[in-house]
Amino acid sequence: MFKNLFKKSQEQIIYAPLNGDIIPLEEVPDPVFNQKMMGEGIAIIPSDGKLVSPVNGKVVQIPDTKHAIGLIADDGTEILIHVGLETVALNGEGFNVKVATDDAVKAGDALMDIDLAYIQEHASSTVTPIIITNNQDGSKKLSFTDETKSTAQETVLITVTS
């Protein structure tokens, strides 16, 4: 009964996986994301095509279309990085994935190179949502940055407290 009373809260820092402009999820021009159907999060409009891991953890999902990467942080937080909007239709074009499912990653490890010019020309947007997908029960407290510019591997985007 009392063991949870003295349990130390854990904090997981989620760093920016891209350089660019940070926007609230509510401003992403896609209802799946702006209505938080997949979970809470934040988004980046990338300024370059280098996508790095925002956490220490493991790669758990890479769809055949290469437009997204699912990670699980060492603390169990599940993170979806969805590169661009309507990018599933590109069938992997414009994405050069550097990791495989089940790979261990450290914050800052290269995940993917993105051809931003190709994405801009062939998809509806380059905006990249970063979603916490396993907090539907609200057991984790999420704090989002007030920053408007992100530097990959340096800017703290989300602090997750459990």
Side-chain angles (χ1 to χ4, degrees):
M1 178 172 148
F2 291 107
K3 68 180 176 186
N4 287 337
L5 188 63
F6 300 106
K7 203 173 179 183
K8 203 172 184 183
S9 68
Q10 226 181 347
E11 208 171 71
Q12 173 67 55
I13 302 297
I14 299 173
Y15 293 96
L18 295 156
N19 296 320
D21 295 322
I22 301 169
I23 63 169
L25 206 55
E26 294 83 1
E27 291 180 20
V28 173
D30 183 317
V32 171
F33 297 109
N34 66 33
Q35 293 177 19
K36 303 177 183 178
M37 293 178 196
M38 299 186 80
E40 290 275 347
I42 200 162
I44 296 175
I45 302 168
S47 59
D48 65 44
K50 301 286 182 203
L51 178 69
V52 300
S53 180
V55 294
N56 295 339
K58 185 169 108 173
V59 178
V60 292
Q61 182 183 28
I62 303 169
D64 292 340
T65 52
K66 305 176 189 173
H67 71 287
I69 292 186
L71 303 168
I72 187 163
D74 287 344
D75 80 328
T77 300
E78 294 173 7
I79 303 155
L80 173 69
I81 304 170
H82 192 284
V83 182
L85 303 178
E86 306 298 329
T87 49
V88 68
L90 302 180
N91 292 316
E93 288 293 317
F95 305 105
N96 181 11
V97 179
K98 305 286 189 180
V99 292
T101 302
D102 293 327
D103 282 359
V105 290
K106 296 279 182 216
D109 286 356
L111 297 177
M112 180 189 300
D113 288 334
I114 305 156
D115 183 341
L116 278 184
Y118 185 87
I119 305 300
Q120 286 170 330
E121 187 176 332
H122 295 94
S124 68
S125 176
T126 60
V127 69
T128 300
I130 297 101
I131 308 294
I132 307 302
T133 58
N134 66 335
N135 195 38
Q136 291 82 359
D137 65 357
S139 62
K140 300 173 190 292
K141 180 180 178 290
L142 308 178
S143 301
F144 299 96
T145 185
D146 292 329
E147 299 288 327
T148 58
K149 298 279 185 199
S150 68
T151 302
Q153 194 185 345
E154 289 179 24
T155 306
V156 174
L157 286 185
I158 307 169
T159 304
V160 181
T161 309
S162 52

